[in-house]
């Protein structure tokens, strides 16, 4: 069973920083409207399946007063043990992290494993339902109600059923066998009309064959002329390139002649940069070497003072005792404080005991407080307390009897006020005579009732007459009509005559009889009041006599208790005088007297022990203080002496460290001096090597040879650029090009191009005339447009047919899938539904089954079958809930999720509500159930620990329920 153990809300809707612990069975979430019940329900679903995206219709519940959004669910999983699911604001559905019991963490993939691959839609179709899903169930048709029940009994069938209807509707909108409105039917009819029009236009096309052949010959001739023109253009481009290459060739010859004037010049690679870099380094090293020599001389001139090693070692030894010194200071202070507190506490105890003199205090400390003495004291004290308690008890009892006697007197006054009035006494005196008159009237009425029995016969005749009259009218029999009318009229006249004769007598006697019966009821009420008054008066007199006797007895007992209390007080005072205790001791302190004397004696022993420890600590502290004064050579405060010692010790250490640092610096400077001199020698040799490579002796000659080398490099670069440009022109392999021959060739080529263009223009004019003739014959492009339109319409028709076939295939597949679901899975679920449905309806209905036509029917205990639409609103909801619960039972092993319900049975009466509670308790042993309600009547069925008051939780965190 997968259970939710704890809900931790960081921020979700109106809730913030809320923690709710849940039980394994049934948990009731109670709260008034807008207390946040639905918010918690949606929090559970969104923690499991993610926050809604913008494309979804569910509410996201982002908090408006806080930046925190999300929370945690702590689960107990049947496979992975205790798990924690945390989801916070992040990407579209939130950032989720899953923590397992063994330390494993994961995201959405691990969460999908925990939820057995269920999505939110599949989860809500089985394990979560609310009142909103059942509000429209009363107005549903038989087919809609059956689909709803099927959806609750088989996973995913509602989505399939909706998709099947959608596919059928869309397919019928595309094509029907005998329809005219669908799109495919209209498209077929339009294609037939286009085909007839195209056949009419085809007859006009045969006359254009000759023109088309001439156009083909012209096209071939034009292609040949265009090829020749293309070759001429290529020749023109080659001649133009040769003409452009002439200046470059002249520049190349001039650069080659200039380069020949320069002799071969050698210069080191990057010679100037390397020389200047070495020159700067050499100058820097010379300056740094001079500074190091000056610093070395300064350090050698310093004279370091010697340090007294013995004094430093003594300081180090005493510093190690600093913790001991502070402990002794704290110990002395604590012992002094303890000694002061002990003396103060002893003085307080002596004041409580009433012993002020020192001599009496010393005597009391030496007195023996044995257990025998304490036992005798406790006996005297107990005896006094018993006497006082008995006296208080008798006094309280006497006061209570006073109050009871006063209450009895007031009760007697109220009873006297409730006695019979003079009018009621008169009614009782007159009643015997009226009673005899009432009995006479009742006897007369009984006699008249016996005389009216023959009227039943008259009524029977009247009924026969009316039936005969009606039968005659129906059969159109005049004789029967007359007989029936005669009997009816005769009966009516007889009854009216007898009623008129008896009516005056009956009215007068009936009126008198009613008055006497009312008077009889009044007399009975007065007699009952009189009897009740007499009984109460007798009872009150007996109570008063009993309380007066109790009062006399209590007065005697109070006198005896006072005597016993006085004797016990005198005996206790004589016992206390032996301990020299003066004054009156409070009664509350008497039970603790011996304990306080023992406490004073224990405090005295602790004081003596503390004084001894204080003397030892002070001796040890004084010894260390004398050693510190010798080292520091002066007197200091004992609380600050170690601060001065640390300062002196640090200064001595610092002085020694400075000496050592100076020696280290001298050694380091010596090494640096040697390294600097070696680097100067190295830089000098490298500069000489550069001059040798350039074949010069000094710096000036070095820079002059560098300028000649750069001029040579510049000429070589320009020559390479010209050669690259000539190579890019792709000139033919000719050593010399003549400018005059190139210009003559260009002129001849221009003449050939002009004659070729004239021949092309003639062919184009001829082709244009043929095209105009063809257009004049055709008049327009109607035939081509018709062919194009016909092909386009055929393509659209093919696409529509493919859409229709696809939708039909999907609808057929869904229908077969629904049939298999109903035939295979639903019977397995229905086998568990009947017991639940019978329980919820109180045994009124015994089973639910599917009719041959595919509709649900309910069968009662008498065997009568009812369609679902014939049932009441509550019974339909009970069938829906029964199917949901049965499906959950069948999925116990594959999906042990909790069941979430939001007030789904508010229409149930009290009896069926009790049955639903019984079912929830039974299912609660197998699955966790979370029930959300705003009806406080549901709280009577559950224990207090199963109820979560959302309003109280919100108020604890400052979130008022609205």
């Amino acid at each position: 069973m997968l259970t939710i153990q704890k809900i931790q809300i960081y921020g979700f809707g109106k809730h913030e920083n809320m923690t709710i612990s849940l039980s394994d069975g049934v948990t009731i979430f109670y709260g008034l409207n807008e207390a946040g019940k639905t918010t918690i329900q949606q929090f559970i679903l969104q923690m499991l399946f993610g926050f809604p995206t913008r494309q979804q219709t569910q509410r996201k519940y982002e908090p408006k007063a806080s930046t925190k959004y999300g929370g945690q669910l702590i689960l107990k999983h049947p496979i992975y043990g205790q798990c924690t699911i945390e989801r916070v604001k992040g990407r579209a559905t939130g950032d989720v992290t899953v923590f397992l019991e063994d330390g494993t963490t994961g995201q959405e993939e691990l969460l999908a494993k925990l939820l057995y691959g269920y999505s939110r839609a599949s989860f809500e179709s089985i394990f979560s339902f609310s009142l909103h899903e059942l509000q429209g169930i009363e107005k549903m048709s038989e087919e809609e109600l059956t689909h709803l029940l099927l959806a609750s009994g088989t996973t995913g069938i509602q989505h399939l059923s909706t998709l099947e209807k959608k596919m059928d509707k869309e397919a019928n909108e595309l094509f029907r066998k005998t329809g005219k409105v669908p799109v495919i039917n209209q498209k077929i009819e339009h294609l037939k009309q286009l085909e007839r029009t195209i056949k009419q236009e085809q007859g006009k096309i045969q006359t254009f064959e000759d023109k088309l052949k001439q156009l083909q010959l012209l096209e071939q001739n034009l292609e040949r002329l265009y090829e020749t023109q293309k070759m001429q253009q290529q020749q023109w481009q080659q001649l133009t390139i040769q003409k452009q290459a002439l200046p470059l060739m002249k520049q190349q010859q001039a650069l080659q002649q200039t380069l020949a004037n320069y002799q071969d010049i050698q210069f080191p690679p990057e010679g100037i940069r390397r020389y200047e870099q070495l020159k700067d380094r050499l100058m820097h090293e010379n300056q740094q070497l001079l500074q190091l020599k000056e610093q070395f001389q300064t350090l050698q001139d310093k004279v370091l003072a010697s340090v007294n090693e013995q004094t430093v070692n003594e300081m180090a030894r005493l510093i190690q005792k600093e913790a001991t010194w502070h402990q002794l200071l704290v110990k002395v202070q604590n012992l002094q404080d303890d000694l002061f507190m002990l003396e103060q506490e002893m003085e307080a105890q002596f004041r409580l005991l009433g012993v002020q003199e020192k001599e009496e205090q010393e005597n009391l400390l030496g007195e023996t407080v044995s257990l025998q003495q304490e036992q005798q004291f406790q006996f005297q004290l107990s005896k006094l307390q018993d006497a006082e308690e008995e006296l208080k008890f008798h006094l309280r009892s006497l006061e209570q009897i006073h109050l009871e006697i006063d209450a009895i007197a007031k009760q007697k006054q109220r009873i006297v006020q409730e006695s019979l009035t003079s009018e009621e006494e008169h009614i009782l005196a007159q009643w015997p005579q009226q009673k005899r008159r009432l009995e006479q009237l009742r006897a007369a009425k009984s006699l008249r009732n016996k005389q009216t029995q023959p009227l039943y016969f008259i009524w029977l005749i009247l009924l026969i007459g009316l039936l005969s009259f009606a039968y005659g009218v129906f059969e159109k029999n005049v004789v029967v009509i007359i007989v029936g009318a005669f009997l009816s009229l005769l009966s009516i006249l007889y009854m009216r005559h007898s009623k008129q004769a008896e009516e005056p007598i009956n009215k007068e006697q009936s009126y008198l009889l009613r008055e006497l019966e009312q008077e009889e009821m009044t007399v009975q009420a007065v007699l009952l009041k009189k009897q009740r008054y007499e009984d109460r008066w007798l009872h009150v007199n007996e109570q008063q006599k009993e309380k007066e006797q109790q009062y006399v007895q209590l007065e005697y007992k109070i006198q005896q208790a006072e005597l016993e209390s006085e004797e016990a007080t005198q005996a206790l005072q004589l016992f206390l005088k032996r301990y020299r205790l003066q004054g009156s001791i409070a009664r509350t302190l008497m039970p603790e007297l011996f304990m306080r004397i023992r406490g004073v004696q224990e405090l005295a022993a602790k004081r003596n022990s503390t004084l001894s420890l204080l003397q030892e600590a002070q001796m040890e502290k004084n010894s260390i203080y004398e050693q510190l004064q010798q080292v520091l050579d002066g007197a200091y405060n004992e609380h600050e002496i170690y601060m001065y010692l640390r300062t002196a010790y640090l200064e001595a250490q610092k002085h020694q460290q400075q000496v050592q640092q100076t020696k280290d610096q001298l050694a380091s400077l010596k090494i640096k001096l040697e390294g600097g001199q070696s680097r100067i020698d190295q830089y000098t040799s490298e500069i000489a090597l550069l001059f040798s490579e350039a074949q010069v002796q000094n710096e000036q000659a070095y820079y002059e040879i560098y300028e000649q080398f750069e001029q040579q490099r510049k000429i070589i670069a320009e020559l390479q650029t010209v050669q690259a440009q000539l190579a890019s022109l792709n000139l033919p392999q000719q050593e010399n090009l003549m400018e005059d021959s190139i210009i003559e060739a260009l002129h001849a080529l221009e003449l050939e191009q002009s004659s070729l263009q004239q021949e092309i223009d003639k062919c184009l004019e001829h082709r244009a005339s043929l095209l105009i003739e063809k257009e004049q014959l055709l008049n327009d492009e109607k035939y081509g447009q018709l062919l194009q339109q016909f092909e386009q319409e055929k393509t659209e028709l093919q696409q529509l047919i493919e859409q229709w076939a696809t939708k039909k295939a999907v609808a057929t597949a869904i229908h077969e899938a629904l049939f298999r679901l109903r035939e295979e899975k639903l019977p397995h679920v229905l086998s568990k539904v009947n017991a639940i449905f019978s329980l919820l309806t109180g045994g009124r209905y015994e089973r639910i089954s599917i009719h041959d036509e595919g509709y649900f029917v309910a069968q009662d205990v008498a065997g009568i079958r009812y369609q679902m639409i014939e049932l009441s609103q509550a019974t339909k909801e009970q069938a829906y809930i029964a199917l949901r619960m049965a499906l959950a039972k069948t999925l116990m092993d594959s999906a042990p999720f909790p069941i979430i319900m939001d007030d789904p049975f508010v229409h149930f009466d009290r009896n069926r509500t009790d049955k639903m509670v019984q079912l929830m308790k039974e299912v609660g042993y197998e699955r966790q159930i979370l029930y959300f309600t705003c009806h406080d009547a549901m709280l009577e069925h559950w224990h207090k620990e199963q109820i979560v008051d959302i309003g109280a939780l919100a108020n604890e965190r400052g979130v008022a329920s609205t």
Side-chain angles (χ1 to χ4, degrees):
M1 177 171 63
L2 189 152
T3 59
I4 301 174
Q5 295 181 329
K6 185 180 288 185
I7 298 173
Q8 178 71 41
I9 301 177
Y10 303 157
F12 192 82
K14 69 189 298 181
H15 297 310
E16 181 180 359
N17 295 330
M18 179 179 288
T19 302
I20 305 173
S21 298
L22 308 180
S23 57
D24 290 343
V26 181
T27 300
I28 306 299
F29 290 84
Y30 169 72
L32 301 177
N33 291 336
E34 297 189 10
K37 303 185 297 299
T38 305
T39 303
I40 294 178
Q41 179 200 15
Q42 289 298 315
F43 173 80
I44 295 172
L45 293 175
Q46 293 188 20
M47 286 299 103
L48 293 175
F49 301 102
F51 300 138
T53 60
R54 294 181 179 179
Q55 292 77 20
Q56 295 174 330
T57 58
Q58 291 96 345
R59 180 182 169 188
K60 293 194 70 171
Y61 289 92
E62 290 193 28
K64 299 183 181 297
S66 173
T67 57
K68 296 183 292 184
Y69 180 36
Q72 283 187 358
L73 287 182
I74 299 178
L75 312 177
K76 183 179 181 182
H77 199 277
I79 299 176
Y80 297 96
Q82 190 170 14
C83 311
T84 300
I85 300 173
E86 182 182 44
R87 191 181 293 273
V88 294
K89 185 175 182 180
R91 53 179 184 174
T93 60
D95 292 337
V96 64
T97 306
V98 181
F99 304 91
L100 300 185
E101 192 174 16
D102 58 359
T104 305
T105 60
Q107 280 76 36
E108 294 289 352
E109 296 79 7
L110 183 56
L111 179 60
K113 293 181 181 179
L114 293 181
L115 300 178
Y116 299 92
Y118 272 67
S119 64
R120 175 166 179 170
S122 58
F123 179 86
E124 288 183 327
S125 67
I126 304 173
F127 303 104
S128 175
F129 51 95
S130 63
L131 175 64
H132 302 291
E133 300 178 26
L134 306 176
Q135 285 179 343
I137 202 170
E138 177 67 25
K139 301 178 182 179
M140 288 185 178
S141 64
E142 184 70 21
E143 183 177 359
E144 292 173 341
L145 187 58
T146 297
H147 276 292
L148 177 64
L149 294 175
L150 281 172
S152 66
T154 52
T155 309
I157 197 170
Q158 187 171 6
H159 300 289
L160 290 175
S161 184
T162 304
L163 184 59
E164 179 190 7
K165 291 181 180 179
K166 181 181 178 182
M167 291 294 104
D168 277 332
K169 181 180 178 182
E170 293 179 356
N172 290 332
E173 290 175 354
L174 289 173
F175 177 73
R176 284 184 184 174
K177 188 174 181 180
T178 58
K180 295 183 179 179
V181 178
V183 180
I184 292 178
N185 297 76
Q186 294 180 358
K187 187 69 68 177
I188 291 172
E189 184 63 28
H190 185 55
L191 283 173
K192 290 180 180 179
Q193 294 178 0
L194 278 176
E195 190 175 5
R196 288 193 292 269
T197 306
I198 288 171
K199 288 181 179 179
Q200 293 175 1
E201 295 294 329
Q202 282 179 347
K204 301 178 182 179
I205 303 303
Q206 300 299 328
T207 58
F208 299 104
E209 292 182 359
D210 296 337
K211 302 296 181 182
L212 290 176
K213 290 179 181 180
Q214 294 179 13
L215 284 172
Q216 289 177 357
L217 293 174
L218 281 175
E219 291 292 342
Q220 292 174 1
N221 191 23
L222 282 172
E223 288 180 3
R224 181 179 56 77
L225 293 174
Y226 283 142
E227 288 293 333
T228 304
Q229 190 179 35
K230 184 177 180 181
M231 291 174 63
Q232 291 179 352
Q233 288 177 353
Q234 291 176 355
Q235 293 177 3
W236 175 267
Q237 290 177 357
Q238 290 177 0
L239 292 173
T240 303
I241 289 172
Q242 292 176 2
K243 185 179 180 180
Q244 293 173 355
L246 289 174
L248 292 175
M249 294 177 69
K250 292 179 181 180
Q251 185 180 2
Q252 181 182 6
Q253 292 175 359
L255 289 173
Q256 287 175 351
Q257 290 176 359
T258 304
L259 183 62
N261 296 329
Y262 286 92
Q263 298 178 356
D264 292 336
I265 298 174
Q266 294 182 358
F267 194 80
E270 298 183 355
I272 294 299
R273 183 188 64 79
R274 289 164 60 190
Y275 172 74
E276 291 179 349
Q277 186 176 14
L278 289 171
K279 183 179 177 182
D280 292 340
R281 289 179 181 177
L282 182 61
M283 185 181 298
H284 175 72
E285 290 295 335
N286 287 326
Q287 293 176 356
Q288 191 171 11
L289 183 63
L290 182 60
Q291 293 175 358
L292 288 174
K293 288 179 180 179
E294 293 176 355
Q295 188 176 0
F296 186 81
Q297 187 64 35
T298 303
L299 291 175
Q300 282 182 339
D301 294 341
K302 288 186 178 179
V303 178
L304 301 176
S306 61
V307 181
N308 190 346
E309 296 291 339
Q310 184 177 2
T311 303
V312 175
N313 294 335
E314 183 66 18
M315 287 180 179
R317 186 183 67 82
L318 290 174
I319 285 176
Q320 291 178 354
K321 290 186 176 182
E322 182 179 5
T324 305
W325 170 259
H326 290 297
Q327 290 175 0
L328 287 172
L329 290 178
V330 174
K331 184 177 181 181
V332 169
Q333 185 63 41
N334 290 339
L335 289 172
Q336 290 174 350
D337 295 341
D338 293 343
L339 186 62
F340 177 76
M341 294 301 296
L342 288 171
E343 291 176 352
Q344 292 293 323
E345 191 171 355
M346 288 177 63
E347 290 295 330
Q349 294 297 327
F350 281 132
R351 285 196 298 272
L352 288 174
L353 293 171
V355 180
Q356 301 295 333
E357 299 294 334
K358 294 292 182 180
E359 184 179 356
E360 292 178 354
Q361 291 177 359
E362 294 296 331
N363 292 333
L364 183 61
L365 292 175
E367 287 290 340
T368 302
V369 283
S370 63
L371 294 176
Q372 291 79 7
Q373 295 293 328
E374 184 178 3
Q375 185 177 5
Q376 184 179 0
F377 172 74
Q378 293 292 343
F379 174 74
Q380 295 293 338
L381 182 62
S382 176
K383 186 175 180 181
L384 176 60
Q385 289 177 347
D386 293 342
E388 290 179 348
E389 290 294 330
E390 185 176 1
L391 178 60
K392 291 179 181 177
F393 174 74
H394 292 324
L395 289 173
R396 288 196 299 270
S397 301
L398 185 65
E399 184 179 358
Q400 182 64 29
I401 290 174
H402 268 299
L403 295 175
E404 291 178 353
I405 291 173
D406 293 341
I408 290 171
K410 293 179 181 178
Q411 187 176 4
K412 289 179 71 175
Q413 293 177 2
R414 290 195 298 271
I415 292 172
V416 170
Q417 293 176 0
E418 295 176 359
S419 60
L420 296 179
T421 62
S422 58
E423 183 179 356
E424 292 173 342
E425 293 287 351
H426 179 71
I427 291 173
L428 290 178
Q430 296 294 327
W431 173 241
Q433 182 180 0
Q434 299 293 340
K435 184 177 181 182
R436 289 192 295 273
R437 178 62 177 162
L438 177 61
E439 291 175 352
Q440 292 175 1
L441 290 174
R442 285 176 176 171
K445 181 179 179 182
S446 176
L447 181 62
R448 284 196 305 273
N449 290 336
K450 292 180 180 180
Q451 292 175 357
T452 56
Q453 288 180 357
L455 289 176
Y456 295 140
F457 178 73
I458 301 301
W459 280 103
L460 180 61
I461 294 174
L462 176 60
L463 179 61
I464 293 172
L466 292 174
L467 292 173
S468 300
F469 181 79
Y471 178 77
V473 173
F474 182 75
E475 295 291 337
K476 298 181 180 180
N477 191 333
V478 179
V479 176
V480 177
I481 292 172
I482 294 172
V483 171
F486 176 75
L487 291 175
S488 300
L489 182 61
L490 184 63
S491 301
I492 292 170
L493 291 175
Y494 179 79
M495 286 190 292
R496 182 178 294 178
H497 181 267
S498 61
K499 185 176 181 181
Q500 290 175 355
E502 294 179 1
E503 187 172 356
I505 299 173
N506 291 340
K507 284 184 178 180
E508 183 179 355
Q509 291 181 352
S510 297
Y511 178 74
L512 184 59
L513 179 62
R514 282 195 300 271
E515 287 185 347
L516 290 174
E517 287 177 347
Q518 292 178 356
E519 188 174 354
E520 181 184 18
M521 294 174 63
T522 304
V523 170
Q524 289 177 355
V526 173
L527 289 173
L528 181 61
K529 180 178 179 182
K530 181 179 180 182
Q531 182 65 33
R532 188 162 53 249
Y533 168 75
E534 291 175 352
D535 294 342
R536 292 178 64 187
W537 184 261
L538 180 61
H539 178 67
V540 169
N541 284 333
E542 291 177 354
Q543 285 182 340
Q544 187 175 14
K545 291 178 182 179
E546 181 181 356
K547 296 301 177 183
E548 289 174 352
Q549 292 176 359
Q550 293 177 0
Y551 187 82
V552 174
Q553 293 174 358
L554 281 174
E555 286 183 339
Y556 175 75
K557 290 181 180 180
I558 288 171
Q559 294 175 359
Q560 295 295 325
E562 288 176 348
L563 291 174
E564 292 178 0
S565 176
E566 185 175 356
E567 292 175 356
T569 303
Q570 293 176 358
L572 184 62
Q573 293 295 333
L574 290 174
F575 182 82
L576 292 175
K577 285 181 180 179
R578 289 184 294 174
Y579 290 92
R580 300 176 181 86
L581 299 175
Q582 300 176 357
S584 60
I585 301 175
R587 186 64 53 82
T588 56
L589 294 176
M590 283 187 178
E592 303 176 0
L593 182 62
F594 274 79
M595 181 183 69
R596 291 185 179 276
I597 295 173
R598 288 196 193 97
V600 171
Q601 294 177 352
E602 291 176 359
L603 290 172
K606 288 182 179 179
R607 181 191 62 184
N608 296 333
S609 175
T610 303
L611 186 60
S612 176
L613 293 173
L614 178 61
Q615 293 173 354
E616 294 176 359
Q618 286 178 340
M619 291 176 63
E620 186 178 357
K621 185 190 75 172
N622 293 334
S623 175
I624 297 175
Y625 186 70
E626 290 175 357
Q627 297 175 14
L628 289 170
Q629 286 181 334
Q630 292 176 0
V631 170
L632 294 174
D633 193 17
Y636 298 94
N637 185 289
E638 61 182 12
H639 293 286
E640 298 178 353
I641 192 166
Y642 259 94
M643 180 182 69
Y644 292 109
L645 177 63
R646 284 195 301 273
T647 303
Y649 180 69
L650 289 174
E651 289 178 354
Q653 282 187 329
K654 184 178 180 181
H655 192 62
Q656 289 179 335
Q657 289 175 356
Q658 287 177 352
V659 172
Q660 185 62 36
Q661 288 176 357
T662 303
K663 292 179 180 179
D664 295 340
Q665 288 176 357
L666 285 171
S668 177
L669 285 175
K670 187 175 182 181
I671 294 171
K672 289 181 179 179
L673 286 170
E674 294 174 354
Q677 188 62 46
S678 64
R679 285 193 294 273
I680 289 172
D681 296 340
Q682 180 183 356
Y683 295 153
T684 304
S685 63
E686 289 181 359
I687 290 174
L689 182 61
L690 286 176
F691 286 171
S692 175
E693 290 181 2
Q695 297 178 359
V696 296
Q697 298 297 327
N698 53 33
E699 180 179 348
Q700 183 179 358
Y702 188 79
Y703 278 107
E704 290 176 356
I705 198 68
Y706 170 71
E707 291 178 359
Q708 296 176 6
F709 178 74
E710 284 296 317
Q711 185 67 27
Q712 181 185 10
R713 287 180 55 191
K714 183 178 179 182
I715 294 171
I716 292 172
E718 290 180 1
L719 182 60
Q720 289 175 351
T721 303
V722 172
Q723 290 175 350
Q725 291 177 353
L726 289 172
S728 64
L729 294 176
N730 294 324
L731 296 174
Q733 297 298 327
Q734 294 180 3
E735 295 182 357
N736 296 316
L737 293 177
M738 300 300 294
E739 184 176 358
D740 295 337
S741 61
I742 293 174
I743 292 174
E744 292 178 358
L746 285 173
H747 181 68
L749 188 59
E750 286 177 357
L751 295 176
E752 292 179 1
Q753 286 179 341
S754 176
S755 61
L756 182 62
Q757 185 63 43
Q758 291 177 359
E759 188 175 356
I760 291 173
D761 291 340
K762 290 180 181 179
C763 291
L764 289 174
E765 289 177 1
H766 189 196
R767 187 182 67 175
S769 62
L770 289 175
L771 290 173
I772 291 171
E773 292 177 359
K774 185 182 71 172
E775 289 178 0
Q776 290 176 353
L777 292 173
L778 286 174
N779 293 324
D780 55 19
E781 297 179 355
K782 183 177 181 181
Y783 179 72
Q785 292 175 354
L786 289 174
L787 287 177
Q788 184 178 1
Q789 185 179 0
F790 182 76
E791 293 297 330
Q792 185 176 357
E793 294 287 343
K794 282 175 62 178
T795 304
E796 292 177 359
L797 176 62
Q798 185 65 28
Q799 292 175 354
L800 290 172
I801 292 173
E802 290 176 359
Q803 293 178 11
W804 175 82
T806 302
K807 296 181 185 299
K808 273 296 183 181
V810 172
T812 304
I814 292 173
H815 182 75
E816 293 177 356
L818 289 175
F819 180 78
R820 287 196 300 272
L821 284 173
R822 294 175 185 174
E823 294 297 322
E824 298 173 5
K825 187 172 184 179
L826 190 58
H828 179 58
V829 176
L830 289 178
S831 64
K832 298 181 180 293
V833 168
N834 297 328
I836 300 175
F837 188 55
S838 177
L839 172 66
L840 294 180
T841 58
R844 172 73 183 276
Y845 299 92
E846 63 178 9
R847 65 193 302 261
I848 294 177
S849 59
I850 298 181
H851 193 265
D852 295 339
E853 297 179 357
Y855 295 106
F856 275 95
V857 294
Q859 180 177 329
D860 62 6
V861 292
I864 302 174
R865 295 174 178 268
Y866 298 91
Q867 295 183 358
M868 299 305 295
I869 200 170
E870 297 175 342
L871 302 178
S872 66
Q873 169 79 4
T875 307
K876 293 175 186 176
E877 295 175 2
Q878 288 151 17
Y880 182 80
I881 293 173
L883 282 164
R884 281 286 185 101
M885 290 295 187
L887 181 59
K889 283 180 173 289
T890 60
L891 299 175
M892 188 61 218
D893 296 331
S894 61
F897 293 114
I899 296 176
I900 302 174
M901 296 186 289
D902 188 1
D903 257 349
F905 40 89
V906 294
H907 296 117
F908 293 10
D909 56 27
R910 185 172 185 82
N911 183 29
R912 297 194 179 184
T913 300
D914 293 341
K915 299 296 183 182
M916 187 64 208
V917 171
Q918 179 183 349
L919 175 62
M920 289 173 63
K921 290 180 179 179
E922 292 176 359
V923 176
Y925 291 111
E926 301 176 353
R927 286 183 184 272
Q928 186 183 36
I929 296 178
L930 307 180
Y931 178 74
F932 296 81
T933 183
C934 61
H935 302 283
D936 53 3
M938 282 297 299
L939 306 182
E940 302 173 358
H941 301 280
W942 308 99
H943 298 296
K944 185 177 180 180
E945 57 271 13
Q946 294 179 279
I947 300 172
V948 176
D949 191 341
I950 298 175
L953 288 175
N955 290 332
E956 289 177 4
R957 291 157 180 81
V959 182
S961 300
T962 58

